Amino acid sequence: MHVLVKGAGVAGLTVAHELTLRSADVTVMDPNPDFGQAASWLAGGMLAPWCEREGADEAVLLRGRGAIDRWDMMLPGEVHRNGTLVVAPARDQGELDRFASRTSGHEWLGEEQIGPLEPALAGRFRRALFFPLEGHLDPRRVLGLLREKLAARGVAFIGQVAETTGYDDIVDCTGAARIGQTSGLRGVRGEMLYLHTPEVCLARPVRLLHPRFPVYIVPRGNGLFMVGATMIETEFAGPISARSMMELLNAAYAVHPAFADATVIETGAGIRPAFADNFPRVTREAEAVVLNGLYRHGFLLAPTMAQEAVDLVFSRTEPGGNC
């Protein structure tokens, strides 16, 4: 079976990987081979289904809790299984209690336990929630490695072409490009920045709770940190706003004052595709299977949703299918 996958972000690449596991002949089409237009290029890379359950439907937890193992099988050694630490300023301790009440899979830590876990945060927070089963990865490194792996398996990567006939099926993973084409799909703006400082060392993502602007800080190694991310109901794709920049920097400073002297390496803004329930869908539309709506759960949910998309592809050639 020869399948065309449209889009080379995290959704498209995980679909292509799943197809190769089932011995399909795969071509991936994307006009931006450097990932520059992919929302997943700006992602935090947190594999945190229990943390995400705080503000998401239980389906995110059920579909996402196997993500660490799935990514480990795809790219052994690229997942950091260090858990997630959730903290809050003294004035917002109620936010920490509220967060804990809305999810599971966590342990309460006191001040004397936070320091040994994250020495850089010793004495800075009285309480924290620790989610030991969660993990994280570096999205940019993973996207590149997965593409290399697929190419080594014989997957062809091509740019935009006018003609897409000659394939047994098509899987559309073009994300925000389908806004206006797929019913109910909207854009949610996300903004982030990269900071560099040798003065802070973290082993895991740290989430800072705030009643208006919760923020996460994800270590990338060698003093580099990704700080994100806004969730703004707009499809404006311009540069990061001054307000968002200040909020992200203030949050980083609240986690550790050394971030005040950090170098701003990069800022970014992108549009996350989402449906009304903020949960992705796999559907068949016309002549293609469409996987879209990953919202802020791209790396968490992509492996499971890719399997569902490929199941739908192969259902056409199995007994009782459409062909």
Side-chain angles (χ1 to χ4, degrees):
M1 173 180 282
H2 192 186
V3 182
L4 175 66
V5 178
K6 293 184 176 181
V10 66
L13 294 184
T14 51
V15 165
H17 186 271
E18 184 69 24
L19 285 165
T20 64
L21 293 178
R22 305 195 198 186
S23 302
D25 181 12
V26 184
T27 297
V28 177
M29 181 179 72
D30 196 307
N32 301 289
D34 60 353
F35 304 111
Q37 301 300 313
S40 40
W41 189 250
L42 303 178
M46 295 177 294
L47 307 178
W50 287 273
C51 278
E52 290 300 315
R53 175 66 180 98
E54 178 271 339
D57 190 82
E58 188 177 12
V60 171
L61 172 60
L62 296 177
R63 303 285 184 90
R65 60 189 177 188
I68 288 180
D69 291 337
R70 288 175 181 268
W71 278 110
D72 227 2
M73 287 187 288
M74 276 190 281
L75 296 169
E78 292 302 317
V79 175
H80 305 281
R81 296 173 178 259
N82 297 334
T84 304
L85 192 67
V86 182
V87 298
R91 67 179 183 276
D92 295 322
Q93 288 298 296
E95 291 298 308
L96 204 57
D97 294 317
R98 183 192 62 80
F99 193 99
S101 71
R102 294 173 63 94
T103 187
S104 60
H106 54 73
E107 306 168 3
W108 279 102
L109 303 183
E111 186 174 353
E112 70 285 355
Q113 298 165 300
I114 297 171
L117 191 68
E118 288 289 3
L121 303 185
R124 297 201 51 76
F125 299 97
R126 295 182 305 179
R127 298 189 303 161
L129 291 169
F130 179 48
F131 293 78
L133 298 180
E134 297 187 338
H136 70 285
L137 47 74
D138 183 339
R140 298 183 178 185
R141 176 176 168 82
V142 161
L143 288 171
L145 290 174
L146 187 52
R147 180 167 178 147
E148 290 176 10
K149 179 180 179 179
L150 292 171
R153 287 188 171 188
V155 173
F157 287 86
I158 62 174
Q160 189 73 41
V161 294
E163 187 60 61
T164 57
T165 59
Y167 298 96
D168 296 301
D169 211 343
I170 298 172
V171 184
D172 190 310
C173 303
T174 52
R178 288 193 64 88
I179 294 174
Q181 301 176 38
T182 296
S183 177
L185 191 67
R186 76 189 198 283
V188 181
R189 178 177 168 89
E191 298 158 308
M192 50 69 68
L193 51 86
Y194 272 88
L195 299 178
H196 180 267
T197 173
E199 303 301 318
V200 181
C201 180
L202 298 175
R204 56 190 53 79
V206 175
R207 295 186 180 223
L208 179 72
L209 301 185
H210 183 280
R212 183 172 56 85
F213 200 88
V215 167
Y216 51 79
I217 300 175
V218 189
R220 294 285 189 248
N222 299 317
L224 188 65
F225 299 87
M226 184 269 194
V227 184
T230 63
M231 292 181 289
I232 304 171
E233 292 287 341
T234 178
E235 294 171 11
F236 171 66
I240 189 171
S241 69
R243 177 191 295 272
S244 295
M245 173 80 83
M246 289 187 293
E247 294 280 13
L248 292 170
L249 290 173
N250 285 336
Y253 178 79
V255 171
H256 198 290
F259 281 117
D261 296 316
T263 302
V264 180
I265 301 297
E266 177 187 339
T267 65
I271 302 300
R272 301 167 170 137
F275 292 105
D277 59 0
N278 294 330
F279 193 79
R281 298 177 188 172
V282 174
T283 58
R284 181 169 288 282
E285 299 181 16
E287 296 303 314
V289 171
V290 178
L291 165 54
N292 213 317
L294 284 168
Y295 183 45
R296 55 179 284 161
H297 308 306
F299 283 84
L300 179 63
L301 296 183
T304 299
M305 303 309 296
Q307 182 178 349
E308 291 189 19
V310 175
D311 284 344
L312 196 53
V313 168
F314 277 85
S315 70
R316 301 184 71 180
T317 60
E318 294 171 352
N322 296 327
C323 294

